[in-house]
Amino acid sequence: MWIVTLKGLLGHKLRFMLTGLAVVLGVAFMAGTLVLTDTIQVIFDDLVASVNDGTDAFVRSNEVVDSAFGEERNRVSAALLPQVRAVQGVAQAEGDLQFYAQVVDAKGEAIGNPGRGAASFGFIWNPGRLNAYRLVAGNSPSAAGEVVIDRGTAKKGNLRVGSKVKVLSQSAPQDFKVAGIVTFGEADSPAGASVSLFTSEEAQRLSGALGQYDGISVSAVDGVSQEQMVRRIDAALSDPKVEVISGATLTKENQDEFTQQLSFFSTALLAFALISLFVGSFIIFNTFSIIVAQRTREIGLMRAIGASRSQIVKSVIAEAALVGILASAVGLGIGILLAAGLKALLAGLGIDIPAGATQVLPRTIIVCLGVGTFVTIAASVLPSRKASRVSPMQALRSTGSDPMKQLGRRSTIGVVITAVGVGSLLYGLFGNVENPTLFVGIGALVVFLGVAALGPVIARPVSRVLAAPLPKLKGMVGVLARENAVRNPRRTASTAAALMIGVALVGFITIFAASIKNSIATAVDSAFTADFVVAAKGGGPPVLSGFSPDLAQKIKEVPGVGASSGLRFAGAELQGKGVFIIASDPATSTELFDVQPESGDFKQLGIDDVAVSSDRMKKEGWVLGQRISAKFPKGASTLKITAVFGLGQQAGLSDYFISLAGYDAHYTQQLDSQVYAKVADDANPRVVGREIQKILKEYPTAELLDQEQFKATRSGQVDQILNLIYALLALAVVIALIGIANTLGLSIVERTNELGLLRAVGMTRRQLRSAIRWESVIIALLGTALGLVIAVFFGWALVTALRDQGLSGFVAPIDRLAVIVVLAGFAGVIAAILPARRAARLNVLDAISQE
């Protein structure tokens, strides 16, 4: 049987190559992702270790809040530094600060884009072992007005020692002289980030941390271990709000934090790789089903001469295993090369990965070979079992089985699965559940499986409807295309299922994105009454950047501005729950935002006050005037509910507003993410806009937008993400089209005799090619139709489930969905080119004589 298996593979190389191509593409994507993320992980683990190489102990605040923007920690008093230096065994101790600082070159262009690419950081220049940077030109900063920059920033801005630059920070923009240029180890910069280094006093001033540090790094004398250093410092300091950790612990925390940040990127890419493999499994299943059907007589003969059912099963599975192993190995090799391409793509986005050896870990090899082979074998199990159930005499008498057999049982199974999925989905939407999206997600997946099970049942009637115009348009060619598409509904459904998955995902993402953009527009129209918005160019609100409060103050002083305020976004813990908070000037909030105040007074918001949406008040059972516990980076507090408003998270805003004074009191970094301005009734908006533009010349990262421009900018950000997802899903769609081409090619082999007879009675090669192309279009449109139905249903369900999270309404963009249908039909034509050419080239006499 092993010899027969090998002979079967060698005898049908093209069939199995096309089948293996689906596995190759999916495994390559997976391997490329794993290799890239492993390489980045090792590089940055080494970099973090080298950065902290001289640190034996680290003193920091133990006041920390785990917010929506990550972990935020309070600062420590600079008065601790002399105490730490006085501890026995301390060789060196220096204060550390990390803050937003962005360099502007001589042309007035900001270097880097923290909102969409690598961050722009400011640090204190520390000498000796505690300095992670290597000076390659000039000198260290020694006075106010001097800055040291990384070589990557210097190259981008064509800067050199002695150049004059402007630095944007929490303080007002300020001019600096480049005192020196550094590298980060051998790299020009750390992961493409722009780095500015200042004296301790200058860094404290720029970051608003006068008399404070983020922490204190300590280097011990020879002979003193990290554990000993930690114990000694801990014993010397009496501040209960301070903790001391070892350099090894600090390194591990930094590495783990980077791993967590990287995990989202790697998980997203792996998800698309698995989607591609899932689509490929339909192709593999279809291919083996057709091959088994075509080899029915061969299998019957093998059974007649003594082959057992188990041997038949093992033979088919062995073919699948060999295809899976070979395809996975090829995909692994391509994936290693693909990793370099992904790295170049990141570099193009401004994320420069330092040089390092490509990491191909044993786990990557095992996972890629294992997953690719498993998917191939799993997809071949049902066809192999079907082959083994054919009796010898039945197989010798017939070339195939009735394709409509057992569809009644499949209908029952499919209806039951679909009903269970719909039930879970509706329970998530309309039941009283804490996490509706979980039930909606599970229900959507089950519904999808139910539709896939019902595919052969609905393939015939739906294909007839889709192909109804063909007889009139193409005559007998259209009739043949229609009948060939509906002849074997199992084959048609399983072929269309692969495309159905891709179209369902593309359609769902399209609908979800359109609903998000509609919600954005609705929120801006209903909640924002300001005339102008100053936002970050190309994106925002960024977490690690923003605008100095000085900008909002200057805009407020512009003649004709009736009301103005900066807007800040932050995370906090209220009553033990992580929440998202907005901060603005309470004196002007109700003039700039129509949040529908219901009770209390926004203007009375003080340092320890909060305004809460009415929806959140009902859910939590709170009342006006109640005090709630809060936790911020600067420590715990108690907030009084001073005002209640109507529009909260369900309108795309936040359920919580605090004052800017409260933000300053509770957060270490004060940066405005956006600035809003309303023109006075007696002022000309155009004149006011021109005056604001003059101010923005000092802030090259900012742009002035009216309401319509602001909506367009926010929608553009959604489109950018949408286009990236389209690009990643394109692989799954390509694999689906390979499946259509593969199925058509195999069906041509099966119908060789029939095609020969058609040619013998007068059908031209052109007509034959046309018939096969239209058959492919019907299959493609079937998959597209099913996919769009699923996409619309899932999109509606998810938008409805998230209605309390800011999605205001379901939107199905008819124009984009129509484009998907047209592209699917065109793709069907492309997929049929090679099979159609092969059919047209058949020798008529040879085809007629073939059994």
Side-chain angles (χ1 to χ4, degrees):
M1 291 300 297
W2 291 110
I3 295 175
V4 172
T5 299
L6 290 174
K7 293 285 187 181
L9 281 172
L10 295 174
H12 306 92
K13 293 186 289 292
L14 181 59
R15 300 179 187 178
F16 291 113
M17 283 176 60
L18 289 173
T19 304
L21 184 58
V23 181
V24 167
L25 294 176
V27 170
F29 203 164
M30 177 182 293
T33 300
L34 292 174
V35 170
L36 176 65
T37 52
D38 287 341
T39 300
I40 295 174
Q41 184 70 63
V42 170
I43 289 172
F44 278 92
D45 281 353
D46 292 342
L47 283 173
V48 169
S50 65
V51 167
N52 296 326
D53 182 53
T55 303
D56 294 307
F58 188 71
V59 182
R60 66 185 182 185
S61 170
N62 59 15
E63 296 176 308
V64 60
V65 57
D66 190 8
S67 72
F69 299 111
E71 188 178 89
E72 296 183 69
R73 190 178 296 271
N74 198 4
R75 290 169 174 154
V76 299
S77 172
L80 292 175
L81 183 56
Q83 298 180 42
V84 173
R85 286 175 173 170
V87 174
Q88 183 181 3
V90 172
Q92 183 184 1
E94 303 290 349
D96 292 327
L97 275 174
Q98 176 180 306
F99 54 96
Y100 165 64
Q102 190 165 5
V103 174
V104 179
D105 63 22
K107 296 180 180 179
E109 297 291 332
I111 299 175
N113 184 358
R116 295 175 55 191
S120 295
F121 290 121
F123 296 100
I124 293 176
W125 173 272
N126 286 322
R129 290 183 58 194
L130 296 176
N131 192 348
Y133 297 90
R134 183 167 62 91
L135 198 63
V136 294
N139 304 298
S140 60
S142 58
E146 291 186 346
V147 63
V148 168
I149 61 175
D150 64 277
R151 190 160 61 186
T153 299
K155 289 180 178 179
K156 293 174 184 175
N158 194 25
L159 302 172
R160 56 185 57 86
V161 174
S163 296
K164 295 291 184 180
V165 297
K166 189 185 298 295
V167 175
L168 306 177
S169 68
Q170 181 176 310
S171 299
Q174 181 179 337
D175 292 331
F176 284 85
K177 174 186 175 183
V178 177
I181 296 174
V182 295
T183 58
F184 187 69
E186 297 299 323
D188 284 348
S189 64
S194 179
V195 174
S196 303
L197 300 124
F198 307 88
T199 63
S200 179
E201 294 77 11
E202 196 77 331
Q204 288 176 320
R205 185 184 63 80
L206 291 174
S207 61
L210 297 177
Q212 293 179 315
Y213 296 119
D214 289 336
I216 299 173
S217 296
V218 180
S219 177
V221 299
D222 294 340
V224 177
S225 69
Q226 292 191 0
E227 291 73 19
Q228 290 175 321
M229 195 75 269
V230 168
R231 287 195 298 269
R232 292 179 184 181
I233 297 174
D234 193 42
L237 301 181
S238 57
D239 191 342
K241 296 182 179 181
V242 168
E243 65 180 12
V244 187
I245 61 173
S246 67
T249 300
L250 178 64
T251 298
K252 182 67 166 57
E253 286 185 1
N254 292 340
Q255 290 173 340
D256 290 344
E257 181 181 0
F258 179 77
T259 300
Q260 184 177 2
Q261 294 171 352
L262 185 64
S263 65
F264 176 80
F265 170 74
S266 59
T267 300
L269 291 182
L270 283 175
F272 287 103
L274 291 175
I275 289 171
S276 300
L277 282 171
F278 183 55
V279 172
S281 68
F282 283 86
I283 299 173
I284 298 164
F285 171 82
N286 215 25
T287 300
F288 277 96
S289 296
I290 296 172
I291 291 175
V292 165
Q294 293 176 354
R295 293 166 57 189
T296 301
R297 291 176 62 86
E298 173 189 328
I299 293 172
L301 180 60
M302 292 170 62
R303 291 292 312 282
I305 61 177
S308 65
R309 290 181 59 181
S310 64
Q311 286 179 313
I312 298 297
V313 171
K314 290 177 182 177
S315 175
V316 176
I317 290 180
E319 289 182 357
L322 289 172
V323 171
I325 292 171
L326 292 174
S328 299
V330 173
L332 176 62
I334 295 175
I336 295 173
L337 299 176
L338 180 63
L342 291 173
K343 184 179 177 181
L345 176 62
L346 290 177
L349 295 174
I351 304 176
D352 184 21
I353 309 300
T358 300
Q359 300 294 317
V360 184
L361 304 182
R363 180 258 293 154
T364 300
I365 299 174
I366 293 171
V367 169
C368 291
L369 293 179
V371 171
T373 303
F374 173 78
V375 168
T376 310
I377 292 176
S380 69
V381 169
L382 288 179
S384 68
R385 295 187 63 185
K386 180 180 178 182
S388 69
R389 289 172 181 168
V390 179
S391 66
M393 295 308 297
Q394 178 186 359
L396 292 172
R397 288 196 307 267
S398 174
T399 58
S401 59
D402 182 6
M404 295 301 292
K405 188 178 180 180
Q406 295 183 338
L407 285 190
R409 185 175 66 179
R410 179 182 282 266
S411 299
T412 303
I413 295 173
V415 169
V416 170
I417 294 175
T418 304
V420 171
V422 171
S424 173
L425 193 147
L426 293 178
Y427 179 65
L429 291 178
F430 306 110
N432 186 18
V433 293
E434 191 171 319
N435 189 359
T437 54
L438 175 62
F439 287 91
V440 169
I442 293 174
L445 177 62
V446 175
V447 167
F448 178 81
L449 295 176
V451 172
L454 286 172
V457 179
I458 60 180
R460 176 167 285 183
V462 174
S463 295
R464 284 194 179 278
V465 171
L466 292 174
L470 280 183
K472 292 184 179 180
L473 293 175
K474 305 298 293 185
M476 185 54 63
V477 169
V479 173
L480 288 173
R482 182 189 64 190
E483 295 306 313
N484 284 332
V486 303
R487 175 189 299 180
N488 192 327
R490 289 179 183 271
R491 177 190 303 165
T492 299
S494 58
T495 304
L499 186 59
M500 176 185 73
I501 299 169
V503 170
L505 291 171
V506 171
F508 166 73
I509 295 298
T510 301
I511 291 170
F512 189 59
S515 300
I516 290 176
K517 291 195 289 186
N518 177 71
S519 300
I520 291 172
T522 301
V524 172
D525 290 336
S526 62
F528 299 155
T529 57
D531 296 300
F532 295 112
V533 181
V534 176
K537 290 181 179 178
V543 178
L544 295 175
S545 66
F547 311 118
S548 167
D550 180 71
L551 173 60
Q553 183 61 38
K554 289 180 178 178
I555 291 176
K556 186 178 296 186
E557 295 171 359
V558 170
V561 171
S564 176
S565 173
L567 200 68
R568 302 176 191 174
F569 306 95
E573 291 182 22
L574 297 184
Q575 296 290 87
K577 297 180 181 179
V579 300
F580 169 64
I581 285 180
I582 290 179
S584 64
D585 181 1
T588 58
S589 292
T590 53
E591 298 179 59
L592 300 171
F593 313 106
D594 181 15
V595 293
Q596 299 179 6
E598 295 184 359
S599 58
D601 188 355
F602 258 80
K603 295 183 179 181
Q604 297 301 315
L605 288 177
I607 290 177
D608 290 317
D609 295 317
V610 62
V612 184
S613 72
S614 56
D615 183 63
R616 179 55 54 186
M617 294 284 285
K618 292 176 184 177
K619 289 181 179 180
E620 300 294 343
W622 296 338
V623 295
L624 185 67
Q626 180 176 340
R627 292 190 174 274
I628 57 177
S629 63
K631 190 176 181 182
F632 300 101
K634 285 190 176 182
S637 180
T638 301
L639 301 182
K640 178 183 177 182
I641 301 176
T642 306
V644 179
F645 57 94
L647 290 183
Q649 191 168 339
Q650 76 276 12
L653 300 174
S654 170
D655 285 331
Y656 307 94
F657 268 84
I658 63 174
S659 67
L660 291 177
Y663 189 99
D664 290 342
H666 297 304
Y667 291 89
T668 58
Q669 182 167 266
Q670 284 83 43
L671 285 167
D672 291 335
S673 293
Q674 296 164 353
V675 180
Y676 290 79
K678 186 176 181 64
V679 178
D681 294 336
D682 58 349
N684 186 327
R686 291 186 179 181
V687 175
V688 173
R690 285 197 296 267
E691 291 301 314
I692 295 177
Q693 288 283 19
K694 294 177 182 178
I695 296 174
L696 295 188
K697 291 180 180 180
E698 290 288 306
Y699 298 86
T701 60
E703 63 179 342
L704 183 66
L705 308 169
D706 59 25
Q707 284 197 11
E708 290 303 317
Q709 291 171 330
F710 183 58
K711 286 190 290 186
T713 299
R714 296 284 300 274
S715 296
Q717 296 167 19
V718 176
D719 286 334
Q720 288 173 354
I721 298 174
L722 184 64
N723 292 334
L724 176 61
I725 295 176
Y726 281 162
L728 294 173
L729 285 176
L731 179 61
V733 176
V734 168
I735 291 175
L737 297 179
I738 291 173
I740 294 176
N742 200 19
T743 299
L744 288 174
L746 292 170
S747 67
I748 286 169
V749 175
E750 183 180 301
R751 303 192 314 236
T752 299
N753 184 266
E754 171 192 326
L755 296 176
L757 289 173
L758 290 172
R759 291 277 287 113
V761 297
M763 192 175 201
T764 66
R765 290 184 175 182
R766 181 177 181 181
Q767 289 175 319
L768 184 58
R769 287 196 297 268
S770 179
I772 293 173
R773 282 197 297 267
W774 280 109
E775 179 184 350
S776 177
V777 170
I778 294 170
I779 295 174
L781 291 179
L782 172 64
T784 303
L786 294 177
L788 287 181
V789 170
I790 293 174
V792 171
F793 182 58
F794 287 1
W796 167 80
L798 186 60
V799 170
T800 303
L802 295 175
R803 59 185 178 274
D804 292 335
Q805 306 299 318
L807 288 183
S808 58
F810 169 77
V811 175
I814 302 300
D815 53 345
R816 290 204 172 197
L817 297 180
V819 170
I820 293 174
V821 174
V822 173
L823 290 177
F826 180 73
V829 174
I830 299 298
I833 290 177
L834 290 180
R837 291 181 61 186
R838 182 180 179 188
R841 290 177 178 177
L842 288 174
N843 184 284
V844 176
L845 295 179
D846 290 342
I848 293 174
S849 62
Q850 183 171 317
E851 295 184 3

